[in-house]
Amino acid sequence: MIPYGQQSINDADVSAVVDVLQSDYITQGNSVPAFEKALATVCNVPHVNVVNSATSALHLACKALGLGPGDTAWTSPVTFVASANCIRYCGAQVDFVDIDPETFNLCPKRLAEKLSHHSKNGLPLPKLVIPVHMCGQSCDMSSIHKLAQQYGFKVLEDAAHAIGASYQGHPVGCCEYSDAVVFSFHPVKIVTTGEGGAVLTQSREVADRIELLRSHGITRDPEKMDREPDGGWYYQQLDLGFNYRMTDLQAALGVSQLKRLGTFIETRRQLAARYTKLLSDVPLKVPKVANACSSVWHLYVIRLKLEELSLSHKEVFEQMRDMGVGVNLHYIPVYQQPYYRQSGFQDFALPEAEAYYQEAMTLPLFPAMTELQQDTVIKTLAKILS
Ligand SMILES: Cc1ncc(COP(=O)(O)O)c(C=O)c1O
């Protein structure tokens, strides 16, 4: 089976991890700060906190941005469940804004309409909006930022798919139009630490809060304590935090992987361009990249033209998998999940998210993919659809 995604680990990555294993500290050593520094440089942002997953990063960012019980936050329905779950972890209510059918990202026009409707009808307005950069392409952040200023909400970019991408010529992660940005380092993502995530922000206050919360709410800094330390062993718990720390083993892998970010992206771009070219005669819709964006192609998602096919979406899927091509579907609209159905979304449906779910299919794309493997995917798809 050709997988839809796969990590790329080389000898340098292995030695970086082995070096940490043979050192005095396998957690809370030098590699975590080194990885944070490297990420800050790549993204041109002052503050980075790495954690054990993007899910933890989203949770801490929501908390640090002040989300709590009684608040509401809005996100995209076409995303992994973590983009919405982080809101629920804070005891806040979730709502969804429909996507743009071309980019699959949260649509600023639908957001503007929903904000105006809620404002006029006394319905809850969001304290926070979480746009998701689907497939590695940034959302239309300047439009979302304008609405944030108009309606007074905060913005947290879920850039789990998008490290290395750029928007209006600036790196995703620089927080030009947001309060914080989250990356994921899960193995299928652009760079990996096994499991891992990061929160990036321009705000020292937000970064300090995340740093505290990722390690139980504990500080060892005498300046932050409410009294003189009893001795060198002393620490204080200032808030109810978590153990969301990244290990040095993971961070060392991250530093090593980040050195190949450019190569990973270049390979993904070449493979994506090749898909787009070679699929031009196959009856399907290829993905588009908006003018302001440079995508890193975490995912290559096509949409089937079901009206022109005699097969169903499910049949195309099953035939592809039967023929050894590991296609996938990113994602089932989050409000369709039983947990969300039971939490107020019983009869809820957003038209573009629904249409997307009927037609979308993720084709394999990963740095080590060969042209031969890609040709197999294209030929198999063309054969099934013809
Ligand atoms: C858009 C999005 N957000 C958040 C996450 C959660 O990432 P992690 O697995 O690092 O917790 C994922 C993971 O797939 C994702 O795709």
Side-chain angles (χ1 to χ4, degrees), residues 52-56 58 79-83 132-134 158-161 182-186 188-189 195-197 298 330-331:
N52 59 1
S53 72
T55 304
S56 304
L58 286 164
T79 183
F80 185 57
V81 292
S83 317
V132 181
H133 302 328
M134 261 295 280
D158 182 342
H161 298 182
V182 161
F183 291 138
S184 170
F185 308 118
H186 177 274
V188 294
K189 299 298 192 305
E195 295 279 359
H298 163 52
H330 299 91
Y331 295 90

Side-chain angles (χ1 to χ4, degrees), residues 280-333:
S280 60
D281 294 334
V282 183
L284 49 81
K285 288 177 255 179
V286 292
K288 303 235 166 62
V289 178
N291 284 339
C293 297
S294 172
S295 175
V296 286
W297 295 102
H298 163 52
L299 301 172
Y300 191 92
V301 174
I302 55 153
R303 291 179 66 161
L304 301 180
K305 292 182 176 170
L306 288 171
E307 62 289 354
E308 294 178 24
L309 297 178
S310 53
L311 294 172
S312 70
H313 187 221
K314 190 175 168 198
E315 284 166 336
V316 176
F317 240 89
E318 284 171 357
Q319 289 193 19
M320 289 292 282
R321 285 197 173 172
D322 287 348
M323 290 165 88
V325 179
V327 287
N328 214 316
L329 206 169
H330 299 91
Y331 295 90
I332 307 160

